[in-house]
Amino acid sequence: MLPTLSIDHLVFRVRDIPASKTFYAALFGDPVFQNEDIFLYKIGTNTRLFFTKAAGTATPYDKEQPGLNHIALGVESLPHLEQILGHLKSAGIPNSGIGIDPHGKQNYIWLNDPNGFRIEFYCTPAAE
């Protein structure tokens, strides 16, 4: 049996570092680290998101092909999700608006970054 695990980090290869930096700065604010080749965000307590330049000619990302379909970031309540929606609107980031996931029956918002990566903000209320 494995001990309890957590996600330490995810690495995303992007086509255009400046366009990705601009998008993620509007979404998350300033990265905790950046230089011309990489930028990094810390999400939650321990998870880091790294963004680095893709090597060679990058083909368009297709979330329906084998590989990562999307990343979902959890929020604790509908008011928090509404706060995120307000932020997305004020930052001019196109998104789905608040919907209900037909599978998990929870409120969520989805959007795509400049590389086509799908990002969700998913309402996961604390257990009572």
Side-chain angles (χ1 to χ4, degrees):
M1 190 69 145
L2 294 175
T4 301
L5 302 172
S6 65
I7 295 178
D8 182 79
H9 68 274
L10 301 167
V11 178
F12 296 89
R13 301 281 190 228
V14 299
R15 291 187 299 270
D16 183 337
I17 289 282
S20 295
K21 275 186 185 178
T22 298
F23 175 85
Y24 283 100
L27 185 60
F28 295 135
D30 293 330
V32 296
F33 175 81
Q34 67 180 326
N35 64 31
E36 64 185 43
D37 299 321
I38 188 172
F39 60 102
L40 162 68
Y41 283 94
K42 188 172 180 185
I43 303 296
T45 306
N46 297 314
T47 303
R48 295 168 292 156
L49 305 179
F50 289 87
F51 298 86
T52 65
K53 178 88 170 120
T57 305
T59 58
Y61 181 75
D62 182 350
K63 72 179 192 65
E64 298 306 326
Q65 293 301 310
L68 180 68
N69 178 268
H70 69 276
I71 179 173
L73 304 173
V75 298
E76 294 179 357
S77 66
L78 183 56
H80 288 157
L81 197 61
E82 290 167 341
Q83 180 181 355
I84 290 168
L85 181 61
H87 172 74
L88 295 171
K89 286 181 178 179
S90 67
I93 298 173
N95 65 83
S96 66
I98 296 174
I100 297 180
D101 173 19
H103 305 289
K105 308 296 186 213
Q106 296 295 329
N107 293 101
Y108 74 116
I109 299 168
W110 65 263
L111 54 111
N112 292 328
D113 86 346
N115 300 282
F117 299 143
R118 174 69 46 97
I119 302 165
E120 285 182 4
F121 292 95
Y122 198 87
C123 191
T124 53
E128 296 183 20

